[in-house]
Amino acid sequence: MTLRAGLCFTVLLLQAAFVEAGQPKQTASGPLPTQIATAQKVFIANGGEDQPFSEDILFSGGSERAYDNFYAAMKTWGKYELVGSPTDADLLVEIELSSPRGGPAIATMSVAEAPPYDPQFRATIRDAKTNALLWTVIEHVQWAILHGNRDKNFDLAMTRLVSDVQGLAARAATTPTAAKQ
């Protein structure tokens, strides 16, 4: 083999190594809490909301709208029996709405086009026996200038949040550790 052929072969090997190194490596999924799969009774708590101003609220329906919508969707789903006391539950789910200033895209936008708030739902799932945090699901409510559009976006984000929780429960039920219990 000539020096030139050897150099070409070495360059090709290095290129292949760089291409392989640049590929994302597949990692195994972490285990999901078995309590989410095995729970039968759930207590849903209202974590409240923090709308930024009182004279011009971001969403209609008052401070219980997020709780009421989430509760109704979970009841309709029917996977868990919803109970009225944390002591009767296997899981504790706290639903809250927060509206911190700015949004994820604020760093790349001008002041005129950046959303002033980043409303988001947070569903925190805890083990009722130990109060250990098991999972948190967050869904952002897309910003809109018109109040009616903000309300529509509220409903869309709530639908996504409920779907996320349902998907989490379905995934937890199919994990090998959940099946052993």
Side-chain angles (χ1 to χ4, degrees):
M1 186 185 309
T2 66
L3 181 60
R4 185 175 210 170
L7 260 153
C8 287
F9 182 70
T10 304
V11 169
L12 287 174
L13 283 177
L14 286 173
Q15 285 179 338
F18 284 124
V19 167
E20 185 177 316
Q23 300 295 325
K25 294 186 176 170
Q26 295 294 331
T27 57
S29 297
L32 295 173
T34 57
Q35 296 92 324
I36 294 172
T38 60
Q40 295 178 348
K41 297 179 180 181
V42 171
F43 174 77
I44 299 176
N46 184 355
E49 67 173 330
D50 67 345
Q51 293 212 37
F53 26 73
S54 58
E55 67 279 351
D56 183 26
I57 60 171
L58 293 179
F59 307 105
S60 60
S63 62
E64 283 95 32
R65 180 177 175 190
Y67 169 79
D68 290 342
N69 288 6
F70 185 78
Y71 189 94
M74 294 297 286
K75 188 167 184 79
T76 301
W77 178 31
K79 174 171 175 47
Y80 301 118
E81 176 187 346
L82 303 184
V83 296
S85 170
T87 57
D88 297 333
D90 302 316
L91 286 181
L92 309 174
V93 179
E94 181 178 301
I95 177 72
E96 67 177 289
L97 171 65
S98 64
S99 300
R101 262 204 166 299
I106 201 164
T108 61
M109 301 174 126
S110 72
V111 173
E113 61 186 7
Y117 295 94
D118 180 25
Q120 51 197 267
F121 294 115
R122 177 184 303 263
T124 305
I125 303 171
R126 294 183 175 278
D127 177 47
K129 291 179 186 76
T130 64
N131 201 33
L133 176 64
L134 300 176
W135 210 267
T136 301
V137 179
I138 299 171
E139 274 295 341
H140 294 263
V141 181
Q142 184 177 351
W143 179 252
I145 294 172
L146 298 176
H147 193 269
N149 290 337
R150 289 195 304 262
D151 279 343
K152 287 178 195 172
N153 293 345
F154 179 103
D155 293 335
L156 290 171
M158 177 58 70
T159 299
R160 289 192 313 270
L161 180 75
V162 170
S163 178
D164 292 346
V165 171
Q166 291 172 341
L168 177 64
R171 281 187 13 237
T174 60
T175 59
T177 53
K180 290 179 187 174
Q181 301 240 340

